[in-house]
Amino acid sequence: MISLNEESEASVKKLIERFDAIEPSIGWWHYIKGLWLVVDPTGKLTASQLRSEACTTFPDAHVMVMEIPTGGDWSGFGPEKMKQWLVDQWDKPQQ
């Protein structure tokens, strides 16, 4: 999980491009401003690496990155596609 206190449309696009450049199989969820859920199916990315990417992309933001195991309990409210990514990606057990 990446949490930011500020972001712009340009920086959001840049972070998505950085994810694709690092590992095309990275999955991400970003339906709430300042909050990203990131899934790395290769298991190579660390919280420190994600923090570095976020700090480079959002240089003026306060950044918090935490590893939260997928497959746990969650609840939310929003559009169906917001929920569907969580069901398809986040509900998968850790490899």
Side-chain angles (χ1 to χ4, degrees):
M1 180 208 52
I2 301 172
S3 182
L4 309 159
N5 70 324
E6 62 182 58
E7 65 181 26
S8 67
E9 285 187 40
S11 60
V12 166
K13 183 178 177 185
K14 186 175 178 183
L15 185 59
I16 293 167
E17 290 169 355
R18 292 179 78 85
F19 285 157
D20 287 341
I22 294 167
E23 176 56 56
S25 65
I26 289 174
W28 53 270
W29 178 99
H30 182 62
Y31 284 92
I32 299 172
K33 187 175 181 175
L35 179 66
W36 295 76
L37 299 179
V38 180
V39 175
D40 173 18
T42 69
K44 296 177 186 176
L45 282 176
T46 65
S48 294
Q49 290 170 312
L50 287 172
R51 184 214 52 228
S52 294
E53 293 298 329
C55 286
T56 299
T57 307
F58 306 97
D60 298 323
H62 300 182
V63 177
M64 171 63 81
V65 178
M66 299 174 75
E67 183 176 350
I68 302 172
T70 59
D73 188 30
W74 59 269
S75 182
F77 179 79
E80 182 62 28
K81 62 184 178 177
M82 176 181 124
K83 175 187 166 199
Q84 196 58 52
W85 186 91
L86 292 165
V87 169
D88 293 343
Q89 302 296 321
W90 204 257
D91 282 348
K92 290 181 180 179
Q94 290 287 330
Q95 301 293 327

